Amino acid sequence: MPPQHGPRRARIVFSDSAAKQLENITSEADFHALDRALVVISVDPKAGAPIPGNTAGPRLRQYTDDVEAVRILYFVTALRTVVVVAYIEL
């Protein structure tokens, strides 16, 4: 019997502002916390709550991990294959 694979993950990309925020992270603990949160939203892009607002552009979502104290604002492409991280808060 062939091995079973886990759920397909979406690819994570960062907006320019989120990439700058990522460059400023120096703590290994913060990297670990961010990595855990990114894995969650890559496996399940609907994990975050929708942010109310205009429906003209991509629908922003917010994922908050209270244990790791991480907040990520992101949107998902139409085919749910790419998650674009717009903002990181640690």
Side-chain angles (χ1 to χ4, degrees):
M1 178 174 258
Q4 299 245 341
H5 297 286
R8 178 174 225 144
R9 291 185 181 187
R11 187 169 57 113
I12 301 286
V13 296
F14 296 91
S15 69
D16 290 341
S17 60
K20 288 179 185 175
Q21 291 173 304
L22 190 59
E23 290 174 2
N24 293 329
I25 298 173
T26 57
S27 164
E28 189 173 328
D30 286 346
F31 270 120
H32 177 72
L34 178 60
D35 185 55
R36 285 176 39 99
L38 291 173
V39 167
V40 170
I41 62 175
S42 72
V43 170
D44 182 11
K46 290 183 176 182
I51 296 175
N54 190 350
T55 58
R59 185 78 187 216
L60 278 176
R61 299 183 72 82
Q62 171 179 273
Y63 175 77
T64 304
D65 184 336
D66 295 329
V67 173
E68 297 284 354
V70 175
R71 180 176 171 233
I72 298 174
L73 300 182
Y74 66 98
F75 63 91
V76 183
T77 59
L79 296 177
R80 301 198 186 287
T81 57
V82 178
V83 172
V84 180
V85 175
Y87 176 79
I88 301 167
E89 186 176 292
L90 294 168

